[in-house]
Amino acid sequence: MRPGERPEIASLPLFRDMQDEQRDRIFSGSFLQVFPPQLTLFEQGQRPDFLHVLVDGLVELYASGAGRDTTMRVVEPVSSFILAAVVTDMPYLMSARTLTSSRILLVPAAKIREVVRHDHAFMDATMRELAMAYRDMVRALTDMKLRQSAERLGNLLLQQEQRQGGTGTVKLRAEKRLLASLLGMTPENLSRAFGVLAAHGVRTDGANVTLADREALEALVRPDAISD
Amino acid sequence: MRPGERPEIASLPLFRDMQDEQRDRIFSGSFLQVFPPQLTLFEQGQRPDFLHVLVDGLVELYASGAGRDTTMRVVEPVSSFILAAVVTDMPYLMSARTLTSSRILLVPAAKIREVVRHDHAFMDATMRELAMAYRDMVRALTDMKLRQSAERLGNLLLQQEQRQGGTGTVKLRAEKRLLASLLGMTPENLSRAFGVLAAHGVRTDGANVTLADREALEALVRPDAISD
DNA sequence: CGAACCCTTGATGGCGATCAAACGCCGTGG
DNA sequence: CCACGGCGTTTGATCGCCATCAAGGGTTCG
Protein backbone atom coordinates (compact mmCIF):
# COMPACT_ATOMS: atom_id res chain seq x y z
CA MET A 1 0.00 0.00 0.00
CA ARG A 2 1.33 3.39 -0.90
CA PRO A 3 1.92 5.99 1.79
CA GLY A 4 -1.27 7.91 2.46
CA GLU A 5 -3.51 5.24 1.01
CA ARG A 6 -4.16 3.31 4.14
CA PRO A 7 -5.29 6.39 6.09
CA GLU A 8 -7.54 7.28 3.19
CA ILE A 9 -9.19 3.88 3.29
CA ALA A 10 -9.36 3.88 7.06
CA SER A 11 -11.12 7.21 7.03
CA LEU A 12 -13.98 5.94 4.85
CA PRO A 13 -17.32 6.10 6.68
CA LEU A 14 -17.42 2.31 6.57
CA PHE A 15 -14.16 1.84 8.47
CA ARG A 16 -13.76 5.14 10.28
CA ASP A 17 -15.37 4.45 13.63
CA MET A 18 -14.44 0.87 14.31
CA GLN A 19 -11.91 -0.30 16.88
CA ASP A 20 -8.33 0.04 15.73
CA GLU A 21 -7.68 -3.55 16.60
CA GLN A 22 -10.54 -4.82 14.49
CA ARG A 23 -9.56 -2.60 11.62
CA ASP A 24 -6.08 -4.07 11.76
CA ARG A 25 -7.57 -7.53 11.59
CA ILE A 26 -9.49 -6.62 8.46
CA PHE A 27 -6.57 -5.00 6.71
CA SER A 28 -4.04 -7.61 7.68
CA GLY A 29 -6.12 -10.28 5.99
CA SER A 30 -6.57 -8.19 2.88
CA PHE A 31 -4.40 -7.48 -0.10
CA LEU A 32 -4.13 -4.72 -2.59
CA GLN A 33 -4.05 -5.71 -6.21
CA VAL A 34 -3.68 -3.91 -9.53
CA PHE A 35 -5.94 -4.93 -12.38
CA PRO A 36 -5.62 -4.00 -16.04
CA PRO A 37 -8.45 -2.26 -17.90
CA GLN A 38 -11.44 -4.26 -19.13
CA LEU A 39 -10.85 -7.09 -16.72
CA THR A 40 -13.83 -8.91 -15.24
CA LEU A 41 -13.50 -8.93 -11.47
CA PHE A 42 -16.46 -11.19 -10.80
CA GLU A 43 -19.72 -12.21 -12.41
CA GLN A 44 -23.25 -12.22 -11.22
CA GLY A 45 -24.33 -15.52 -9.73
CA GLN A 46 -21.01 -16.15 -7.99
CA ARG A 47 -20.72 -16.40 -4.26
CA PRO A 48 -19.00 -13.32 -2.85
CA ASP A 49 -15.40 -13.98 -1.95
CA PHE A 50 -14.17 -10.45 -1.23
CA LEU A 51 -15.43 -7.06 -0.28
CA HIS A 52 -13.88 -4.76 -2.86
CA VAL A 53 -12.56 -1.30 -2.10
CA LEU A 54 -11.62 0.71 -5.16
CA VAL A 55 -8.51 2.70 -4.26
CA ASP A 56 -7.67 4.06 -7.66
CA GLY A 57 -9.13 3.67 -11.14
CA LEU A 58 -12.69 3.14 -12.32
CA VAL A 59 -15.00 0.14 -12.07
CA GLU A 60 -18.31 -0.67 -13.73
CA LEU A 61 -21.02 -2.73 -12.09
CA TYR A 62 -23.43 -4.16 -14.62
CA ALA A 63 -26.24 -6.67 -14.81
CA SER A 64 -27.07 -9.11 -17.56
CA GLY A 65 -30.36 -10.62 -18.54
CA ALA A 66 -32.67 -11.23 -21.46
CA GLY A 67 -29.61 -11.31 -23.70
CA ARG A 68 -28.51 -7.80 -22.87
CA ASP A 69 -26.39 -5.86 -20.38
CA THR A 70 -27.00 -2.69 -18.48
CA THR A 71 -24.72 -0.58 -16.34
CA MET A 72 -25.92 -0.33 -12.77
CA ARG A 73 -23.24 1.85 -11.19
CA VAL A 74 -19.88 3.41 -11.99
CA VAL A 75 -17.64 3.15 -8.94
CA GLU A 76 -15.17 5.96 -8.32
CA PRO A 77 -12.36 5.91 -5.77
CA VAL A 78 -12.26 5.70 -2.86
CA SER A 79 -15.29 3.56 -2.14
CA SER A 80 -16.33 0.01 -1.47
CA PHE A 81 -18.75 -2.06 -3.51
CA ILE A 82 -20.93 -5.19 -3.27
CA LEU A 83 -21.29 -4.86 0.48
CA ALA A 84 -24.83 -6.28 0.44
CA ALA A 85 -23.79 -9.56 -1.19
CA VAL A 86 -20.95 -9.91 1.32
CA VAL A 87 -22.98 -9.46 4.48
CA THR A 88 -25.80 -11.72 3.29
CA ASP A 89 -23.40 -14.24 1.74
CA MET A 90 -25.71 -14.49 -1.24
CA PRO A 91 -24.79 -14.57 -4.94
CA TYR A 92 -23.81 -11.34 -6.65
CA LEU A 93 -26.66 -9.69 -8.52
CA MET A 94 -24.20 -7.75 -10.64
CA SER A 95 -20.94 -8.33 -12.45
CA ALA A 96 -17.93 -6.03 -12.20
CA ARG A 97 -15.17 -5.06 -14.58
CA THR A 98 -12.43 -2.48 -14.54
CA LEU A 99 -12.79 0.41 -16.95
CA THR A 100 -9.27 1.73 -16.43
CA SER A 101 -6.29 0.21 -14.72
CA SER A 102 -7.41 -0.06 -11.09
CA ARG A 103 -5.97 -0.63 -7.66
CA ILE A 104 -8.40 -2.57 -5.51
CA LEU A 105 -8.24 -3.67 -1.89
CA LEU A 106 -9.64 -7.16 -1.52
CA VAL A 107 -11.03 -7.99 1.90
CA PRO A 108 -12.03 -11.62 2.42
CA ALA A 109 -15.80 -11.76 2.75
CA ALA A 110 -15.66 -14.18 5.65
CA LYS A 111 -13.50 -11.77 7.57
CA ILE A 112 -15.97 -8.95 7.00
CA ARG A 113 -18.83 -11.07 8.25
CA GLU A 114 -16.79 -12.12 11.29
CA VAL A 115 -15.70 -8.61 12.25
CA VAL A 116 -19.21 -7.28 11.69
CA ARG A 117 -20.41 -9.66 14.36
CA HIS A 118 -17.83 -8.51 16.90
CA ASP A 119 -17.41 -4.79 16.29
CA HIS A 120 -20.49 -2.76 17.06
CA ALA A 121 -19.29 0.41 15.35
CA PHE A 122 -18.44 -1.48 12.19
CA MET A 123 -21.86 -3.08 12.12
CA ASP A 124 -23.40 0.33 12.62
CA ALA A 125 -21.41 1.76 9.70
CA THR A 126 -22.35 -1.21 7.54
CA MET A 127 -26.00 -0.75 8.38
CA ARG A 128 -25.87 2.92 7.42
CA GLU A 129 -23.97 2.22 4.23
CA LEU A 130 -26.61 -0.29 3.21
CA ALA A 131 -29.41 2.10 4.06
CA MET A 132 -27.84 4.79 1.91
CA ALA A 133 -27.26 2.34 -0.92
CA TYR A 134 -30.90 1.29 -0.70
CA ARG A 135 -32.01 4.89 -0.96
CA ASP A 136 -29.77 5.40 -3.98
CA MET A 137 -31.47 2.49 -5.66
CA VAL A 138 -34.92 3.84 -4.84
CA ARG A 139 -33.96 7.10 -6.51
CA ALA A 140 -32.57 5.30 -9.53
CA LEU A 141 -35.73 3.26 -9.94
CA THR A 142 -38.08 6.23 -9.62
CA ASP A 143 -35.89 8.12 -12.06
CA MET A 144 -36.20 5.30 -14.56
CA LYS A 145 -39.95 4.94 -14.11
CA LEU A 146 -40.96 8.58 -14.05
CA ARG A 147 -38.62 10.45 -16.36
CA GLN A 148 -37.81 10.13 -20.01
CA SER A 149 -34.32 9.98 -21.34
CA ALA A 150 -33.45 13.63 -21.89
CA GLU A 151 -34.76 14.46 -18.43
CA ARG A 152 -32.67 11.71 -16.88
CA LEU A 153 -29.58 13.04 -18.61
CA GLY A 154 -30.29 16.60 -17.55
CA ASN A 155 -30.83 15.47 -14.00
CA LEU A 156 -27.56 13.59 -13.94
CA LEU A 157 -25.72 16.59 -15.31
CA LEU A 158 -27.17 18.85 -12.64
CA GLN A 159 -26.18 16.43 -9.90
CA GLN A 160 -22.69 15.86 -11.27
CA GLU A 161 -22.18 19.59 -11.62
CA GLN A 162 -22.92 20.00 -7.92
CA ARG A 163 -20.69 17.13 -6.89
CA GLN A 164 -17.86 18.51 -8.99
CA GLY A 165 -17.91 21.89 -7.31
CA GLY A 166 -20.79 23.84 -8.83
CA THR A 167 -18.64 25.60 -11.39
CA GLY A 168 -21.13 25.21 -14.19
CA THR A 169 -18.86 22.61 -15.73
CA VAL A 170 -19.12 18.84 -15.77
CA LYS A 171 -16.35 16.47 -16.70
CA LEU A 172 -17.65 13.10 -17.86
CA ARG A 173 -15.43 10.46 -16.32
CA ALA A 174 -16.51 7.56 -18.49
CA GLU A 175 -17.25 6.99 -22.13
CA LYS A 176 -20.57 8.22 -23.41
CA ARG A 177 -21.62 4.70 -24.38
CA LEU A 178 -21.30 3.75 -20.72
CA LEU A 179 -23.19 6.80 -19.59
CA ALA A 180 -25.94 5.81 -22.00
CA SER A 181 -26.16 2.34 -20.48
CA LEU A 182 -26.21 3.79 -16.98
CA LEU A 183 -29.11 6.00 -17.97
CA GLY A 184 -30.93 3.10 -19.58
CA MET A 185 -30.68 4.16 -23.19
CA THR A 186 -28.63 3.59 -26.32
CA PRO A 187 -25.56 5.63 -27.33
CA GLU A 188 -27.49 6.98 -30.29
CA ASN A 189 -30.24 8.31 -28.08
CA LEU A 190 -27.79 9.77 -25.59
CA SER A 191 -26.35 11.75 -28.45
CA ARG A 192 -29.81 12.97 -29.38
CA ALA A 193 -30.58 13.72 -25.73
CA PHE A 194 -27.56 16.03 -25.63
CA GLY A 195 -29.02 17.60 -28.74
CA VAL A 196 -32.29 18.24 -26.94
CA LEU A 197 -30.49 19.77 -23.95
CA ALA A 198 -28.46 22.02 -26.24
CA ALA A 199 -31.62 24.09 -26.62
CA HIS A 200 -31.51 24.53 -22.83
CA GLY A 201 -28.00 25.82 -22.44
CA VAL A 202 -26.01 22.59 -22.41
CA ARG A 203 -22.83 22.79 -24.47
CA THR A 204 -20.70 19.73 -25.03
CA ASP A 205 -17.11 19.48 -26.13
CA GLY A 206 -16.02 15.89 -25.95
CA ALA A 207 -16.09 14.90 -22.29
CA ASN A 208 -16.47 18.50 -21.12
CA VAL A 209 -20.00 19.75 -20.63
CA THR A 210 -20.92 23.28 -19.64
CA LEU A 211 -24.30 24.24 -18.24
CA ALA A 212 -24.72 27.76 -19.54
CA ASP A 213 -28.32 28.23 -18.42
CA ARG A 214 -29.02 26.40 -15.21
CA GLU A 215 -32.52 27.82 -14.91
CA ALA A 216 -33.60 26.64 -18.32
CA LEU A 217 -32.20 23.20 -17.63
CA GLU A 218 -33.95 22.95 -14.29
CA ALA A 219 -37.19 24.04 -15.89
CA LEU A 220 -36.95 21.14 -18.30
CA VAL A 221 -35.79 18.57 -15.80
CA ARG A 222 -37.85 19.57 -12.76
CA PRO A 223 -35.29 18.14 -10.35
CA ASP A 224 -36.65 16.63 -7.19
CA ALA A 225 -35.56 18.43 -4.05
CA ILE A 226 -35.49 15.13 -2.17
CA SER A 227 -33.03 13.60 -4.57
CA ASP A 228 -30.16 15.68 -3.21
CA MET B 1 -53.33 -5.99 20.12
CA ARG B 2 -55.31 -9.08 19.38
CA PRO B 3 -54.25 -12.42 20.81
CA GLY B 4 -51.69 -14.05 18.56
CA GLU B 5 -50.70 -10.82 16.90
CA ARG B 6 -47.89 -9.85 19.18
CA PRO B 7 -46.14 -13.22 18.83
CA GLU B 8 -46.54 -12.92 15.08
CA ILE B 9 -44.85 -9.53 15.07
CA ALA B 10 -42.19 -10.63 17.53
CA SER B 11 -41.33 -13.59 15.33
CA LEU B 12 -40.53 -11.39 12.33
CA PRO B 13 -36.88 -11.68 11.30
CA LEU B 14 -36.41 -8.06 12.28
CA PHE B 15 -37.49 -8.55 15.91
CA ARG B 16 -36.97 -12.27 16.41
CA ASP B 17 -33.47 -12.43 17.82
CA MET B 18 -33.27 -9.34 19.99
CA GLN B 19 -33.26 -9.31 23.76
CA ASP B 20 -36.72 -9.71 25.24
CA GLU B 21 -36.18 -6.66 27.36
CA GLN B 22 -35.33 -4.47 24.39
CA ARG B 23 -38.24 -5.83 22.41
CA ASP B 24 -40.51 -4.90 25.28
CA ARG B 25 -39.13 -1.39 25.19
CA ILE B 26 -39.93 -1.10 21.52
CA PHE B 27 -43.43 -2.47 21.79
CA SER B 28 -44.31 -0.56 24.93
CA GLY B 29 -43.62 2.72 23.19
CA SER B 30 -45.63 1.71 20.13
CA PHE B 31 -49.28 1.68 19.35
CA LEU B 32 -51.47 -0.23 17.01
CA GLN B 33 -53.84 1.78 14.92
CA VAL B 34 -56.54 1.03 12.36
CA PHE B 35 -56.66 3.12 9.21
CA PRO B 36 -59.47 3.29 6.65
CA PRO B 37 -58.83 2.53 2.99
CA GLN B 38 -57.23 5.13 0.74
CA LEU B 39 -55.69 7.05 3.61
CA THR B 40 -52.31 8.66 3.17
CA LEU B 41 -50.03 7.51 5.97
CA PHE B 42 -47.13 9.80 5.11
CA GLU B 43 -45.70 11.63 2.13
CA GLN B 44 -42.29 11.69 0.58
CA GLY B 45 -40.12 14.50 1.86
CA GLN B 46 -41.34 14.19 5.45
CA ARG B 47 -39.02 13.27 8.25
CA PRO B 48 -39.71 9.74 9.44
CA ASP B 49 -41.67 9.67 12.67
CA PHE B 50 -42.50 5.97 12.93
CA LEU B 51 -41.35 2.63 11.73
CA HIS B 52 -44.48 1.03 10.32
CA VAL B 53 -45.37 -2.63 10.69
CA LEU B 54 -48.34 -3.72 8.64
CA VAL B 55 -50.26 -6.24 10.73
CA ASP B 56 -53.33 -6.61 8.59
CA GLY B 57 -54.53 -5.04 5.36
CA LEU B 58 -52.64 -3.76 2.34
CA VAL B 59 -50.42 -0.71 1.86
CA GLU B 60 -49.01 0.92 -1.25
CA LEU B 61 -45.67 2.70 -1.34
CA TYR B 62 -45.41 5.10 -4.24
CA ALA B 63 -43.17 7.84 -5.50
CA SER B 64 -44.11 11.08 -7.21
CA GLY B 65 -42.16 13.17 -9.64
CA ALA B 66 -42.36 14.90 -13.01
CA GLY B 67 -46.10 15.28 -12.46
CA ARG B 68 -46.76 11.57 -12.20
CA ASP B 69 -46.88 8.74 -9.65
CA THR B 70 -45.54 5.25 -9.72
CA THR B 71 -46.05 2.36 -7.35
CA MET B 72 -42.81 1.20 -5.79
CA ARG B 73 -44.01 -1.64 -3.56
CA VAL B 74 -47.17 -3.27 -2.34
CA VAL B 75 -46.74 -4.20 1.32
CA GLU B 76 -48.48 -7.31 2.57
CA PRO B 77 -48.83 -8.36 6.19
CA VAL B 78 -46.93 -9.04 8.30
CA SER B 79 -43.97 -6.87 7.42
CA SER B 80 -42.32 -3.60 8.22
CA PHE B 81 -41.67 -0.76 5.82
CA ILE B 82 -39.55 2.38 5.47
CA LEU B 83 -36.81 1.00 7.68
CA ALA B 84 -34.05 2.78 5.71
CA ALA B 85 -35.51 6.25 6.27
CA VAL B 86 -35.90 5.51 9.99
CA VAL B 87 -32.35 4.37 10.63
CA THR B 88 -30.79 7.20 8.62
CA ASP B 89 -33.28 9.77 9.92
CA MET B 90 -33.56 11.17 6.41
CA PRO B 91 -36.70 12.22 4.53
CA TYR B 92 -38.95 9.57 3.07
CA LEU B 93 -38.30 8.89 -0.59
CA MET B 94 -41.76 7.38 -0.97
CA SER B 95 -45.29 8.10 0.14
CA ALA B 96 -47.61 5.50 1.63
CA ARG B 97 -51.34 4.98 1.56
CA THR B 98 -53.64 2.21 2.66
CA LEU B 99 -55.34 0.24 -0.07
CA THR B 100 -57.72 -1.58 2.23
CA SER B 101 -58.58 -1.01 5.86
CA SER B 102 -55.31 -1.71 7.65
CA ARG B 103 -54.00 -2.36 11.13
CA ILE B 104 -50.54 -0.90 11.54
CA LEU B 105 -48.11 -0.94 14.43
CA LEU B 106 -46.41 2.41 14.79
CA VAL B 107 -43.00 2.33 16.44
CA PRO B 108 -41.49 5.74 17.20
CA ALA B 109 -38.49 6.21 14.94
CA ALA B 110 -36.36 7.64 17.74
CA LYS B 111 -36.96 4.52 19.76
CA ILE B 112 -35.86 2.30 16.89
CA ARG B 113 -32.67 4.27 16.47
CA GLU B 114 -32.02 4.12 20.19
CA VAL B 115 -32.59 0.39 20.55
CA VAL B 116 -30.55 -0.30 17.42
CA ARG B 117 -27.61 1.30 19.16
CA HIS B 118 -27.94 -0.86 22.25
CA ASP B 119 -29.09 -4.23 21.01
CA HIS B 120 -26.56 -6.02 18.89
CA ALA B 121 -28.95 -8.66 17.59
CA PHE B 122 -31.46 -6.03 16.57
CA MET B 123 -28.81 -4.09 14.70
CA ASP B 124 -27.76 -7.28 13.00
CA ALA B 125 -31.32 -8.01 11.93
CA THR B 126 -31.73 -4.43 10.69
CA MET B 127 -28.54 -4.69 8.69
CA ARG B 128 -29.72 -7.89 7.04
CA GLU B 129 -33.16 -6.51 6.34
CA LEU B 130 -31.61 -3.50 4.63
CA ALA B 131 -29.25 -5.69 2.62
CA MET B 132 -32.18 -7.79 1.40
CA ALA B 133 -34.20 -4.69 0.60
CA TYR B 134 -31.26 -3.35 -1.37
CA ARG B 135 -31.04 -6.53 -3.36
CA ASP B 136 -34.77 -6.39 -4.07
CA MET B 137 -34.30 -2.92 -5.49
CA VAL B 138 -31.37 -4.04 -7.65
CA ARG B 139 -33.59 -6.76 -9.08
CA ALA B 140 -36.42 -4.32 -9.70
CA LEU B 141 -34.14 -1.89 -11.49
CA THR B 142 -32.55 -4.52 -13.71
CA ASP B 143 -36.01 -5.86 -14.48
CA MET B 144 -37.12 -2.40 -15.55
CA LYS B 145 -34.03 -1.76 -17.64
CA LEU B 146 -33.67 -5.10 -19.36
CA ARG B 147 -37.14 -6.47 -19.92
CA GLN B 148 -40.14 -5.18 -21.77
CA SER B 149 -43.58 -5.04 -20.29
CA ALA B 150 -45.01 -8.44 -21.17
CA GLU B 151 -41.85 -10.11 -19.92
CA ARG B 152 -42.04 -8.20 -16.65
CA LEU B 153 -45.61 -9.31 -16.16
CA GLY B 154 -44.81 -12.92 -16.97
CA ASN B 155 -41.92 -12.84 -14.56
CA LEU B 156 -44.05 -11.45 -11.79
CA LEU B 157 -46.70 -14.10 -12.38
CA LEU B 158 -44.10 -16.87 -12.19
CA GLN B 159 -42.72 -15.50 -8.93
CA GLN B 160 -46.13 -14.95 -7.38
CA GLU B 161 -47.20 -18.43 -8.37
CA GLN B 162 -44.23 -19.85 -6.47
CA ARG B 163 -44.85 -17.68 -3.43
CA GLN B 164 -48.49 -18.71 -3.37
CA GLY B 165 -47.73 -22.40 -3.26
CA GLY B 166 -46.87 -23.44 -6.79
CA THR B 167 -50.38 -24.63 -7.62
CA GLY B 168 -50.34 -23.10 -11.09
CA THR B 169 -52.75 -20.47 -9.84
CA VAL B 170 -52.12 -16.84 -8.93
CA LYS B 171 -54.50 -14.64 -7.01
CA LEU B 172 -53.92 -10.95 -7.68
CA ARG B 173 -54.20 -9.17 -4.39
CA ALA B 174 -54.52 -5.65 -5.74
CA GLU B 175 -56.34 -3.93 -8.55
CA LYS B 176 -54.89 -4.31 -12.01
CA ARG B 177 -54.34 -0.58 -12.30
CA LEU B 178 -52.01 -0.83 -9.32
CA LEU B 179 -50.23 -3.84 -10.72
CA ALA B 180 -49.69 -1.86 -13.91
CA SER B 181 -48.10 1.00 -12.01
CA LEU B 182 -45.90 -1.41 -10.07
CA LEU B 183 -44.70 -2.88 -13.33
CA GLY B 184 -44.10 0.55 -14.79
CA MET B 185 -46.84 0.59 -17.40
CA THR B 186 -50.36 1.84 -18.00
CA PRO B 187 -53.52 -0.16 -17.24
CA GLU B 188 -54.22 -0.33 -20.97
CA ASN B 189 -50.90 -1.93 -21.68
CA LEU B 190 -51.21 -4.33 -18.78
CA SER B 191 -54.40 -5.53 -20.36
CA ARG B 192 -52.60 -6.02 -23.66
CA ALA B 193 -49.71 -7.74 -21.89
CA PHE B 194 -52.15 -10.29 -20.50
CA GLY B 195 -53.34 -10.68 -24.05
CA VAL B 196 -49.81 -11.47 -25.20
CA LEU B 197 -49.33 -13.99 -22.41
CA ALA B 198 -52.63 -15.69 -23.27
CA ALA B 199 -50.79 -17.18 -26.24
CA HIS B 200 -48.41 -18.74 -23.71
CA GLY B 201 -50.89 -20.47 -21.47
CA VAL B 202 -51.94 -17.63 -19.17
CA ARG B 203 -55.69 -17.58 -18.52
CA THR B 204 -57.26 -14.76 -16.57
CA ASP B 205 -60.61 -14.61 -14.84
CA GLY B 206 -60.85 -11.37 -12.93
CA ALA B 207 -58.24 -11.51 -10.20
CA ASN B 208 -57.60 -15.22 -10.73
CA VAL B 209 -54.83 -16.16 -13.10
CA THR B 210 -53.92 -19.70 -14.09
CA LEU B 211 -50.63 -20.65 -15.67
CA ALA B 212 -51.60 -23.54 -17.88
CA ASP B 213 -48.28 -23.92 -19.65
CA ARG B 214 -45.38 -23.05 -17.39
CA GLU B 215 -42.78 -24.10 -19.94
CA ALA B 216 -44.12 -21.84 -22.64
CA LEU B 217 -44.26 -18.93 -20.23
CA GLU B 218 -40.72 -19.49 -19.03
CA ALA B 219 -39.53 -19.69 -22.62
CA LEU B 220 -40.97 -16.26 -23.26
CA VAL B 221 -39.84 -14.69 -20.01
CA ARG B 222 -36.42 -16.31 -19.61
CA PRO B 223 -36.52 -15.94 -15.83
CA ASP B 224 -33.22 -15.28 -14.17
CA ALA B 225 -32.12 -18.04 -11.81
CA ILE B 226 -30.53 -15.49 -9.52
CA SER B 227 -33.75 -13.59 -9.08
CA ASP B 228 -35.23 -16.30 -6.83
C1' DC C 1 -0.70 5.33 -42.45
C1' DG C 2 -4.31 2.20 -41.61
C1' DA C 3 -7.63 0.01 -38.71
C1' DA C 4 -10.40 -0.16 -35.01
C1' DC C 5 -13.57 2.09 -32.22
C1' DC C 6 -16.41 5.78 -30.50
C1' DC C 7 -19.52 9.26 -31.49
C1' DT C 8 -22.78 11.38 -34.38
C1' DT C 9 -26.53 11.84 -37.74
C1' DG C 10 -30.23 10.08 -40.55
C1' DA C 11 -34.03 6.66 -41.67
C1' DT C 12 -37.11 3.32 -40.17
C1' DG C 13 -39.78 0.41 -37.03
C1' DG C 14 -41.74 -1.19 -32.69
C1' DC C 15 -43.11 -0.75 -28.00
C1' DG C 16 -45.75 1.59 -25.07
C1' DA C 17 -48.42 6.10 -23.90
C1' DT C 18 -52.31 8.64 -24.84
C1' DC C 19 -56.95 9.44 -26.37
C1' DA C 20 -61.44 7.58 -26.93
C1' DA C 21 -65.27 4.59 -26.31
C1' DA C 22 -67.76 0.48 -24.83
C1' DC C 23 -68.44 -3.20 -21.50
C1' DG C 24 -69.13 -5.21 -16.96
C1' DC C 25 -69.37 -4.94 -12.12
C1' DC C 26 -71.17 -2.99 -8.02
C1' DG C 27 -73.01 0.35 -5.20
C1' DT C 28 -76.78 3.60 -4.31
C1' DG C 29 -81.29 5.37 -4.52
C1' DG C 30 -85.79 5.52 -6.36
C1' DC D 1 -86.42 -4.98 -7.35
C1' DC D 2 -84.78 -2.35 -10.84
C1' DA D 3 -82.62 1.83 -12.82
C1' DC D 4 -78.94 4.55 -12.70
C1' DG D 5 -74.23 6.14 -12.12
C1' DG D 6 -69.45 5.50 -11.11
C1' DC D 7 -65.39 3.08 -11.70
C1' DG D 8 -62.22 -0.41 -13.28
C1' DT D 9 -61.13 -3.02 -17.25
C1' DT D 10 -60.89 -3.94 -22.00
C1' DT D 11 -60.44 -2.89 -26.89
C1' DG D 12 -59.38 0.08 -30.72
C1' DA D 13 -56.92 4.09 -33.02
C1' DT D 14 -53.27 7.19 -33.07
C1' DC D 15 -49.00 9.37 -31.56
C1' DG D 16 -44.44 9.84 -29.63
C1' DC D 17 -40.33 8.11 -27.56
C1' DC D 18 -36.79 5.25 -28.11
C1' DA D 19 -34.40 1.08 -30.34
C1' DT D 20 -32.53 -0.56 -34.32
C1' DC D 21 -30.22 -0.35 -38.67
C1' DA D 22 -27.08 2.07 -41.51
C1' DA D 23 -23.46 5.16 -42.79
C1' DG D 24 -20.02 8.81 -42.20
C1' DG D 25 -16.57 11.61 -39.44
C1' DG D 26 -13.20 11.89 -35.89
C1' DT D 27 -9.78 10.06 -32.73
C1' DT D 28 -6.51 6.80 -30.97
C1' DC D 29 -3.27 3.39 -31.27
C1' DG D 30 -0.54 -0.02 -33.39
Side-chain angles (χ1 to χ4, degrees):
Chain A
M1 227 179 278
R2 292 176 187 164
E5 270 178 4
R6 158 130 190 195
E8 191 172 1
I9 298 172
S11 70
L12 286 174
L14 187 60
F15 301 116
R16 191 175 47 203
D17 299 320
M18 64 194 306
Q19 301 167 29
D20 294 340
E21 172 197 335
Q22 297 294 335
R23 193 185 303 110
D24 289 343
R25 285 188 60 204
I26 282 184
F27 287 164
S28 69
S30 311
F31 48 98
L32 196 62
Q33 198 165 332
V34 178
F35 297 95
Q38 298 300 330
L39 186 86
T40 298
L41 298 169
F42 54 81
E43 295 196 343
Q44 77 189 72
Q46 292 178 357
R47 273 301 189 76
D49 39 10
F50 298 103
L51 174 70
H52 292 56
V53 182
L54 178 63
V55 177
D56 193 60
L58 213 52
V59 167
E60 175 193 9
L61 301 184
Y62 61 99
S64 308
R68 296 190 303 184
D69 286 359
T70 191
T71 304
M72 298 296 284
R73 179 184 164 196
V74 175
V75 184
E76 296 182 14
V78 178
S79 69
S80 63
F81 53 101
I82 50 139
L83 182 58
V86 169
V87 304
T88 60
D89 196 20
M90 296 178 78
Y92 295 132
L93 296 177
M94 301 180 275
S95 305
R97 68 177 147 235
T98 56
L99 294 173
T100 66
S101 176
S102 297
R103 298 163 50 76
I104 298 175
L105 181 71
L106 298 168
V107 185
K111 179 144 293 196
I112 290 286
R113 288 192 293 273
E114 181 195 328
V115 174
V116 155
R117 270 198 302 276
H118 294 99
D119 188 300
H120 193 73
F122 184 50
M123 184 184 281
D124 188 76
T126 301
M127 182 186 70
R128 288 171 198 284
E129 186 107 349
L130 289 169
M132 296 299 285
Y134 170 79
R135 290 170 61 89
D136 284 343
M137 290 301 300
V138 169
R139 277 186 279 256
L141 183 59
T142 63
D143 194 48
M144 188 63 48
K145 290 179 78 175
L146 290 176
R147 282 193 246 262
Q148 48 195 33
S149 58
E151 294 175 308
R152 291 201 298 276
L153 173 59
N155 217 44
L156 180 139
L157 291 176
L158 286 169
Q159 287 174 220
Q160 283 288 72
E161 190 259 350
Q162 291 291 16
R163 294 208 309 154
Q164 293 182 18
T167 61
T169 282
V170 179
K171 177 92 176 174
L172 303 177
R173 299 200 196 288
E175 290 177 339
K176 291 216 181 85
R177 64 184 356 265
L178 192 80
L179 179 59
S181 178
L182 183 66
L183 289 170
M185 54 189 180
T186 60
E188 294 95 321
N189 276 315
L190 176 64
S191 206
R192 287 184 251 273
F194 271 115
V196 171
L197 297 188
H200 300 264
V202 177
R203 311 292 160 202
T204 70
D205 173 30
N208 294 315
V209 182
T210 62
L211 312 185
D213 188 349
R214 165 173 277 277
E215 300 227 343
L217 186 55
E218 287 183 345
L220 177 76
V221 167
R222 281 171 299 192
D224 196 336
I226 306 168
S227 301
D228 296 340
Chain B
M1 228 179 277
R2 292 176 187 163
E5 271 178 3
R6 159 130 190 197
E8 191 171 2
I9 298 172
S11 70
L12 286 174
L14 187 59
F15 301 115
R16 192 176 45 203
D17 299 322
M18 64 194 306
Q19 300 167 29
D20 294 340
E21 172 198 335
Q22 297 294 336
R23 193 185 303 110
D24 289 343
R25 286 187 60 204
I26 283 184
F27 287 163
S28 70
S30 312
F31 47 98
L32 196 62
Q33 198 165 333
V34 177
F35 297 95
Q38 297 300 330
L39 186 85
T40 298
L41 297 169
F42 54 81
E43 294 196 344
Q44 77 188 74
Q46 292 178 357
R47 274 301 190 75
D49 40 11
F50 298 103
L51 174 70
H52 292 56
V53 181
L54 179 62
V55 177
D56 194 61
L58 213 54
V59 168
E60 175 192 9
L61 301 183
Y62 61 99
S64 307
R68 296 189 304 184
D69 286 359
T70 191
T71 304
M72 298 295 285
R73 179 185 163 197
V74 175
V75 184
E76 296 182 13
V78 177
S79 69
S80 64
F81 52 100
I82 51 140
L83 181 58
V86 168
V87 304
T88 60
D89 196 19
M90 296 179 79
Y92 295 132
L93 296 177
M94 300 179 277
S95 305
R97 68 177 146 236
T98 55
L99 294 172
T100 65
S101 176
S102 297
R103 298 163 50 77
I104 297 176
L105 182 73
L106 298 168
V107 185
K111 179 144 295 197
I112 291 286
R113 288 192 293 272
E114 181 195 328
V115 174
V116 155
R117 270 198 303 277
H118 294 99
D119 187 301
H120 195 256
F122 184 49
M123 184 184 281
D124 188 76
T126 301
M127 182 186 70
R128 286 171 199 285
E129 186 106 350
L130 288 169
M132 296 300 285
Y134 170 80
R135 290 170 62 88
D136 284 344
M137 290 301 300
V138 169
R139 276 186 278 256
L141 183 59
T142 63
D143 194 47
M144 189 64 48
K145 290 179 78 175
L146 291 175
R147 282 192 247 262
Q148 47 196 31
S149 57
E151 293 174 308
R152 292 202 298 275
L153 173 59
N155 218 44
L156 179 139
L157 291 176
L158 285 169
Q159 287 175 221
Q160 283 288 69
E161 189 258 351
Q162 290 292 14
R163 294 210 308 154
Q164 293 182 18
T167 60
T169 283
V170 179
K171 177 92 176 174
L172 304 177
R173 299 198 197 287
E175 290 177 339
K176 291 214 181 88
R177 63 185 355 263
L178 191 81
L179 179 59
S181 178
L182 182 66
L183 290 169
M185 54 185 167
T186 59
E188 294 95 320
N189 275 316
L190 176 64
S191 204
R192 288 190 238 305
F194 271 116
V196 170
L197 298 188
H200 300 264
V202 177
R203 310 293 159 200
T204 70
D205 172 28
N208 295 315
V209 182
T210 61
L211 311 184
D213 188 348
R214 165 172 279 275
E215 300 226 342
L217 186 55
E218 287 181 346
L220 177 75
V221 167
R222 282 171 301 191
D224 195 334
I226 306 166
S227 301
D228 295 342

